[in-house]
Amino acid sequence: AIAAVLPLKWFSVPQCWRFETTQRGRKREHYQWNMDLIGVRGVVAEVELLSAIVHFFESVGLTANDVGLKVNSRKLLAAVLEAAEVAPERFAAACVIIDKLDKIGADAVEQELVSQIGLKPDSAKTVVKATAAKSLEDFAAETGLQSSPEVLELQRLFELAEDYGIGPYLRFDASVVRGLAYYTGVVFEGFDKAGVLRAICGGGRYDGLLQLYGSKKE
């Protein structure tokens, strides 16, 4: 009974290969530090992983002046897209488009949301504008989600981060959605504050992924 040993925590540093076109900063072969935490429903799991990342930063001499962690939740975006009448089965595709915001710009993202997802132009503009919010409070006010469970959950994460002593590293960024379809909740990306590098790490919650490999459905 796997439930008897939960939560389950592990890490690995495997040699990996990408099945995609190589590009600057993303070569075919690489080594990757993985951390997984299984069996924790609340955001304390995410905070523990974020804390481990900060510990690594500090162990190699980096501080909150050098690097940071952008944090968002796909649940927030799901609530906004639901209000824009995006069908649930189109949610993952919409996330992939929004994830390209830094690469192709707001206008192009709006056009793709209209042409590929079927949003009305005004709704597409509202979604893109919401991703530009500078704080969780601004995002909640822009979208009308002030007391929603999605906002309260992320507020709790930032409160816990302060308790863990990693608050100065964290920054809310509504444009971070991560391109992979399996993320279901909190997502994050590490970045250098000089703005020179690509994302230096990333991850998020992926409830339900183990069901693809035989785990019991809840």
Side-chain angles (χ1 to χ4, degrees):
I2 189 68
V5 296
L6 294 178
L8 181 63
K9 306 176 185 180
W10 70 58
F11 75 92
S12 60
V13 187
Q15 187 179 15
C16 302
W17 287 265
R18 291 188 175 97
F19 186 61
E20 63 181 47
T21 302
T22 56
Q23 53 187 298
R24 180 178 177 271
R26 291 182 66 85
K27 297 183 178 180
R28 179 76 67 199
E29 181 182 352
H30 66 288
Y31 284 87
Q32 178 170 300
W33 176 30
N34 300 316
M35 292 187 292
D36 294 279
L37 201 162
I38 300 170
V40 179
R41 293 182 181 275
V43 292
V44 66
E46 285 87 338
V47 175
E48 186 167 335
L49 292 174
L50 292 167
S51 180
I53 295 170
V54 169
H55 177 75
F56 167 75
F57 286 157
E58 294 180 342
S59 71
V60 295
L62 298 173
T63 71
N65 293 323
D66 305 306
V67 292
L69 291 158
K70 300 176 183 178
V71 180
N72 191 22
S73 173
R74 280 203 171 188
K75 293 179 182 178
L76 292 179
L77 185 58
V80 173
L81 292 176
E82 182 180 1
E85 300 181 349
V86 173
E89 60 269 21
R90 302 296 294 155
F91 173 69
C95 286
V96 171
I97 293 171
I98 295 169
D99 190 51
K100 297 189 289 185
L101 193 59
D102 287 342
K103 302 179 182 71
I104 65 176
D107 290 343
V109 167
E110 289 178 20
Q111 291 172 9
E112 290 195 11
L113 288 173
V114 172
S115 63
Q116 298 182 30
I117 306 300
L119 265 67
K120 298 176 182 177
D122 288 347
S123 296
K125 191 174 292 294
T126 297
V127 170
V128 171
K129 184 178 180 181
T131 65
K134 299 299 183 183
S135 69
L136 181 57
E137 292 73 20
D138 289 347
F139 179 91
E142 180 70 34
T143 58
L145 296 173
Q146 288 92 334
S147 299
S148 71
E150 298 86 359
V151 168
L152 295 177
E153 180 182 68
L154 210 51
Q155 286 177 341
R156 178 59 177 158
L157 182 149
F158 283 104
E159 291 168 359
L160 287 170
E162 292 295 333
D163 293 339
Y164 272 65
I166 62 172
Y169 286 88
L170 269 56
R171 174 194 302 176
F172 173 73
D173 189 330
S175 69
V176 173
V177 296
R178 305 290 292 166
L180 298 175
Y182 56 68
Y183 289 117
T184 59
V186 173
V187 288
F188 57 85
E189 288 185 355
F191 68 99
D192 69 299
K193 293 191 173 179
V196 175
L197 305 174
R198 297 173 59 100
I200 55 179
C201 65
R205 179 172 287 268
Y206 46 90
D207 290 336
L209 187 63
L210 292 182
Q211 294 172 10
L212 297 175
Y213 303 97
S215 178
K216 182 179 179 181
K217 292 184 178 181
E218 297 185 0

